[in-house]
């Protein structure tokens, strides 16, 4: 698998210049998919079965600095050096292995700082791998474009391909087996009134990671057979909703898409149940609140936490109905 990935890195960087600096640094936002990526057609190159569309979370994300070292990798997370045998360091180390030959360096020092509160249970792998690729680009001076950076980030984590941009981002699944047409692009549309609210249910580590969860779903779930068509239709509706600022269509489609993804997980074997009792309670609450006339919708990733979608005009009432939520404004405010 590594050889295929290393060859892909060389292909993407072909023609990129190299003006190495002492240190590279970058920030990448976290993102939440409105139309989810669920299922790989190629695990080595992280090529998805379906295209997806997300919204980046503004200043919530990851800041990363990277420098070359003579001996041994050092990885710090939020100011604390991480044990070499930890899963976090192993995953970063395996990703850096793809870049050691092209950078002529055997070791790195990586300092990474998340502005996402860990307790919010928001995936940091997307912003983490995107920030790492952007910092490597800054260090090496490759001068490659966002499309290429998106493809490199994709190798770390699929959703990281979307985190190299702000705003609404579409990751096109692509068709080619070499992975060179599978990258994310930014939609040139801003929606300053849009809000995302995080309802924290649990900050515990999920028992099954998304890589294994996807694989299990694709291989064993009968319902997954309908997912690619559902995702294609939802992506089309979400794009139209964004282009027309049709919030009801956006919210409805995003909620249905997330619940359909969970239906494919539930019908896998062994079943994948990421929702906790409190997640289900919050789903009912969103539906009740909406029936009472407040326009609020939800989306859920491969975990127990609920993300609310609403507009600025409903912010006060949503905060009253869901006390303690963290409200994110993904776009610059007017
Ligand atoms: O990028 P990964 O491997 O962490 O998978 C992300 C999967 C979901 O969060 C459930 C959906 C998505 O599109 O972000």
């Amino acid at each position: 698998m590594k050889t295929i990935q290393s060859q892909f890195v060389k292909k993407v960087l072909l023609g990129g210049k190299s003006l190495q600096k002492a240190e590279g640094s970058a920030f990448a936002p976290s993102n939440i998919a409105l139309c989810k990526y669920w299922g790989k057609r190629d695990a080595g190159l992280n090529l998805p079965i379906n295209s997806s569309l997300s919204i980046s979370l503004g200043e919530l994300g990851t800041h990363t600095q990277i420098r070359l070292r003579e001996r041994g990798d050092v990885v710090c997370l939020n100011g604390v050096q991480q044990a070499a045998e930890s899963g976090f360091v192993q995953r970063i180390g395996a990703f850096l292995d793809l870049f050691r030959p092209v950078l002529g360096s055997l070791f790195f020092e990586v300092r990474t700082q998340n502005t996402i509160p860990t307790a919010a249970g928001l995936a940091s792998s997307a912003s983490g791998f995107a920030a790492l690729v952007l910092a490597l680009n800054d260090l090496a001076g490759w001068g490659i474009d966002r499309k290429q950076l998106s493809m490199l980030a994709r190798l770390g984590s699929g959703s990281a391909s979307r985190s190299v941009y702000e705003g609404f981002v579409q990751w096109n699944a692509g068709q080619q087996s070499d992975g060179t047409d599978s990258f994310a692009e930014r939609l040139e549309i801003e929606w300053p009134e849009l809000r995302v609210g995080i309802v924290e249910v649990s900050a515990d580590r999920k028992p099954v990671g998304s890589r294994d969860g996807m694989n299990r779903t694709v291989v064993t779930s009968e319902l997954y057979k309908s997912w690619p068509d559902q995702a294609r239709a939802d992506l089309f509706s979400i794009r139209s909703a964004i282009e027309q600022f049709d919030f009801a269509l956006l919210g409805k489609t995003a909620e249905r898409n997330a619940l359909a993804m969970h239906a494919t997980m539930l019908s896998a074997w062994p079943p994948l149940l990421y929702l906790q009792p409190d997640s289900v309670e919050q789903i009912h609450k969103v539906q009740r609140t909406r029936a009472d006339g407040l326009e609020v919708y939800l989306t859920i990733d491969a975990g127990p936490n609920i993300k609310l979608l609403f507009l600025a005009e409903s912010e006060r009432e949503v905060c009253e109905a869901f006390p303690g939520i963290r409200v994110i404004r993904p776009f610059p405010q007017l």
Side-chain angles (χ1 to χ4, degrees):
M1 190 189 278
K2 263 220 159 124
T3 321
I4 298 169
Q5 293 177 337
S6 300
Q7 283 166 351
F8 183 77
V9 167
K10 286 200 191 106
K11 192 186 285 180
V12 172
L13 291 177
L14 202 69
K17 49 188 174 40
S18 197
L19 302 162
Q20 210 146 299
K21 302 199 291 189
E23 181 178 304
S25 64
F27 168 79
S30 188
N31 76 75
I32 286 181
L34 301 170
C35 179
K36 308 292 183 191
Y37 143 56
W38 196 246
K40 299 178 203 283
R41 67 173 200 279
D42 182 317
L45 290 173
N46 255 356
L47 300 176
I49 287 176
N50 65 285
S51 298
S52 56
L53 194 152
S54 62
I55 183 165
S56 288
L57 299 185
E59 66 207 25
L60 287 193
T62 306
H63 291 274
T64 294
Q65 284 106 37
I66 186 161
R67 7 168 107 240
L68 307 179
R69 265 175 69 86
E70 305 252 308
R71 294 173 64 202
D73 285 341
V74 169
V75 178
C76 294
L77 172 61
N78 297 333
V80 180
Q81 187 170 338
Q82 304 294 299
E85 56 284 0
S86 71
F88 184 75
V89 175
Q90 299 279 321
R91 210 168 157 202
I92 290 185
F95 187 68
L96 289 173
D97 286 348
L98 305 174
F99 297 91
R100 295 183 213 272
V102 281
L103 279 167
S105 167
L106 288 182
F107 301 107
F108 296 96
E109 176 183 318
V110 179
R111 297 186 173 273
T112 186
Q113 204 91 29
N114 283 333
T115 56
I116 318 161
T118 320
L122 277 176
S124 50
S125 72
S127 56
F129 281 111
L132 189 52
V133 164
L134 296 174
L136 279 166
N137 182 45
D138 187 40
L139 174 82
W142 292 317
I144 54 176
D145 61 21
R146 291 273 144 175
K147 182 173 125 180
Q148 290 164 296
L149 292 164
S150 169
M151 288 194 281
L152 295 178
R154 192 194 77 214
L155 296 178
S157 149
S159 53
S161 69
R162 302 185 306 241
S163 269
V164 300
Y165 305 92
E166 300 285 347
F168 291 117
V169 181
Q170 181 169 324
W171 173 18
N172 300 306
Q175 290 175 341
Q176 290 172 22
S177 55
D178 71 355
T180 51
D181 61 349
S182 184
F183 51 84
E185 289 174 302
R186 185 180 176 171
L187 272 58
E188 297 302 328
I189 300 174
E190 302 222 325
W191 198 338
E193 296 82 12
L194 201 63
R195 300 285 183 268
V196 176
I198 310 295
V199 183
E200 191 207 326
V201 168
S202 167
D204 292 350
R205 255 187 94 78
K206 49 192 175 203
V208 183
S210 49
R211 177 175 285 265
D212 291 341
M214 278 182 210
N215 183 40
R216 191 191 296 179
T217 311
V218 173
V219 173
T220 67
S221 163
E222 195 60 28
L223 283 189
Y224 187 80
K225 290 181 181 150
S226 64
W227 170 256
D229 284 344
Q230 163 102 49
R232 195 174 306 114
D234 288 346
L235 182 69
F236 182 82
S237 297
I238 288 174
R239 272 204 76 132
S240 319
I242 292 170
E243 279 155 18
Q244 293 157 34
F245 299 102
D246 182 341
F247 180 65
L249 180 62
L250 178 81
K252 182 180 120 182
T253 315
E255 182 166 322
R256 189 182 54 190
N257 180 269
L259 294 175
M261 175 182 74
H262 279 265
T264 70
M265 297 164 169
L266 279 170
S267 59
W269 195 262
L272 280 163
L273 178 53
Y274 287 107
L275 305 176
Q276 294 292 331
D278 200 26
S279 322
V280 178
E281 174 51 34
Q282 297 296 330
I283 296 171
H284 283 295
K285 190 169 169 182
V286 170
Q287 291 177 351
R288 278 198 308 271
T289 310
R290 201 159 61 226
D292 289 345
L294 191 59
E295 248 201 315
V296 55
Y297 297 88
L298 63 84
T299 182
I300 323 167
D301 288 309
N305 298 300
I306 308 291
K307 287 102 185 188
L308 304 178
L309 301 168
F310 52 96
L311 291 175
E313 62 195 32
S314 316
E315 187 167 332
R316 195 179 50 80
E317 286 168 285
V318 171
C319 290
E320 276 167 21
F322 296 87
I325 62 166
R326 179 175 180 130
V327 176
I328 299 160
R329 299 169 180 185
F331 292 97
Q333 299 300 290
L334 302 172

